[in-house]
Amino acid sequence: MSLAPLPVLMVVPTGIGCSIGGYAGDALPSARLLAAASGCLITHPNVMNGAALYWSDPRIHYVEGYGLDRFAAGEWTLRQVRRQRIGLLLDRGIEPELVQRQIQVAEGCRATLGLEIGPVVTTDRPLEVSLELGSSGASWGRIRHPDALLRAGERLREAGATAIAVVARFPEDPESAELAAYRQGNGVDALAGAEAVISHLLVRHLQIPCAHAPALGPLPLDPHLDPRAAAEELGYTFLACVLVGLSRAPDLVPAGQGMVEGNGLRADQLGAVVVPDGALGGEALLAAVARNVPVIAVANPSVLAVTPQVLGLAEAVLPAASYSEAAGLVLALREGLAPVSLQRPLPRLR
């Protein structure tokens, strides 16, 4: 008899330099493993987006971070769909050649992958994104004209788009020491925090699936590139993975609205949450803790140190030395095994 799926939430926070998940798509193998172990994985674009690379798996549900928080808090449910109609939102600040590159990626995804894409809308003024690093070392950013972003999103929704891929022009400094370090496997993705700001704004305002791809020029060849950075060097744009992820992203439905049996996911169905052991302060994680959902904290170093000990959760969290071990714990939970029974020495009953 096959095991029923155990819905599992996988979170790798954006822009904090995780050893696994701090680059474009380098957490994808771990997500695929957790999807196989659980039969149902809910995760976010930071985990799944590999620039020109992607992986489509019906067991993996692609949910933007703000939507993920609302889902975990029990405010939204996830309704599975056959396909989304993806509107393309372009920043007016993107140069004409880079705009054409984005359009060509979208056309390629229509022609080769059969995705439904369109219409295309350009913001009525440049968004003017700026990048920052917080005192913790995590990346974040600002948008000078968020109203222009939201107006363009509204136009797409009114035109029939059920999901939105947004491309904003990001500042770049190809000669910076920070970029060189990042490409060689050190430091934090300087773009990720600002990307999260953009997608959070759209999802909060429109309540439809959204994800972001930055518009950047190509970088000069680096013969010493870290393998985790290689996916970001394959082409002009990061858009292909966003379009594939959004193409079957679940609808975001307010809790309490009618759902077809077997076609939706609710927070009270979660069987576990998997999160880096130094990044336990996120809203989705804390909502799961409040609901007594098992938390698996994986050794995955980052610039943060919000550990189970700091939060007073040491005894309530299942530690895992790797995502392979986390997958074993998920499989144990799915099988109905008490994870403590796998430990040695076996603790005595109190």
Side-chain angles (χ1 to χ4, degrees), residues 272-273 294-298 313-320 329-330 333 339-340 343:
V273 177
V295 174
I296 301 172
V298 183
L313 298 174
E315 294 190 7
V317 168
L318 300 170
L329 290 170
V330 166
L333 292 168
V340 70
Q343 298 177 8

Side-chain angles (χ1 to χ4, degrees), residues 206-228:
L206 302 173
Q207 200 176 316
I208 62 175
C210 301
H212 178 266
L216 297 165
L219 291 168
L221 183 67
D222 182 350
H224 305 295
L225 197 70
D226 186 281
R228 294 173 297 169

Side-chain angles (χ1 to χ4, degrees), residues 229-256:
E232 302 176 54
E233 311 271 337
L234 297 182
Y236 270 83
T237 88
F238 299 76
L239 184 57
C241 62
V242 168
L243 295 171
V244 171
L246 288 173
S247 67
R248 290 186 178 176
D251 285 340
L252 307 171
V253 181

Side-chain angles (χ1 to χ4, degrees), residues 21-318:
Y23 286 77
D26 73 298
L28 246 172
S30 300
R32 292 181 59 196
L33 182 61
L34 290 172
S38 66
C40 176
L41 187 72
I42 304 152
T43 192
H44 52 109
N46 184 54
V47 170
M48 299 299 296
N49 286 353
L53 304 177
Y54 48 83
W55 194 270
S56 186
D57 186 327
R59 299 169 299 186
I60 301 178
H61 304 283
Y62 184 94
V63 183
E64 189 277 337
Y66 181 83
L68 203 71
D69 288 344
R70 302 281 63 77
F71 165 74
E75 297 171 12
W76 293 356
T77 55
L78 307 178
R79 181 171 59 202
Q80 296 164 262
V81 299
R82 291 187 181 276
R83 72 174 187 273
Q84 298 284 7
R85 183 185 183 195
I86 308 167
L88 183 57
L89 194 165
L90 300 176
D91 178 2
R92 187 165 293 278
I94 304 173
E95 300 90 328
E97 181 180 334
L98 273 179
V99 167
Q100 195 57 46
R101 295 286 186 183
Q102 314 303 322
I103 297 295
Q104 287 174 347
V105 171
E107 296 285 32
C109 287
R110 293 175 66 223
T112 64
L113 303 178
L115 304 190
E116 185 173 2
I117 301 171
V120 180
V121 165
T122 301
T123 59
D124 53 31
R125 65 191 303 179
L127 296 178
E128 297 187 30
V129 176
S130 60
L131 307 178
E132 305 284 346
L133 278 181
S135 57
S136 66
S139 70
W140 62 291
R142 300 177 187 271
I143 309 169
R144 187 170 183 181
H145 300 294
D147 52 334
L149 175 72
L150 299 182
R151 283 194 296 271
E154 289 170 353
R155 289 169 57 199
L156 283 170
R157 185 178 61 180
E158 290 165 3
T162 59
I164 293 177
V166 54
V167 184
R169 186 61 166 107
F170 270 45
E172 53 187 326
D173 179 4
E175 305 300 323
S176 74
E178 291 79 9
L179 176 61
Y182 174 76
R183 296 176 80 195
Q184 293 172 22
N186 301 299
V188 170
D189 181 354
L191 311 181
E195 290 192 276
V197 170
I198 292 168
S199 62
H200 287 8
L201 279 172
L202 283 168
V203 172
R204 184 175 66 180
H205 186 67
L206 302 173
Q207 200 176 316
I208 62 175
C210 301
H212 178 266
L216 297 165
L219 291 168
L221 183 67
D222 182 350
H224 305 295
L225 197 70
D226 186 281
R228 294 173 297 169
E232 302 176 54
E233 311 271 337
L234 297 182
Y236 270 83
T237 88
F238 299 76
L239 184 57
C241 62
V242 168
L243 295 171
V244 171
L246 288 173
S247 67
R248 290 186 178 176
D251 285 340
L252 307 171
V253 181
Q257 286 193 6
M259 299 280 284
V260 178
E261 187 67 28
N263 194 37
L265 288 167
R266 306 183 311 272
D268 61 12
Q269 295 174 300
L270 280 177
V273 177
V274 180
V275 65
D277 62 359
L280 269 69
E283 186 175 353
L285 184 280
L286 296 177
V289 169
R291 196 176 279 109
N292 296 315
V293 176
V295 174
I296 301 172
V298 183
N300 185 6
S302 72
V303 299
L304 299 185
V306 186
T307 64
Q309 292 74 21
V310 168
L311 296 178
L313 298 174
E315 294 190 7
V317 168
L318 300 170

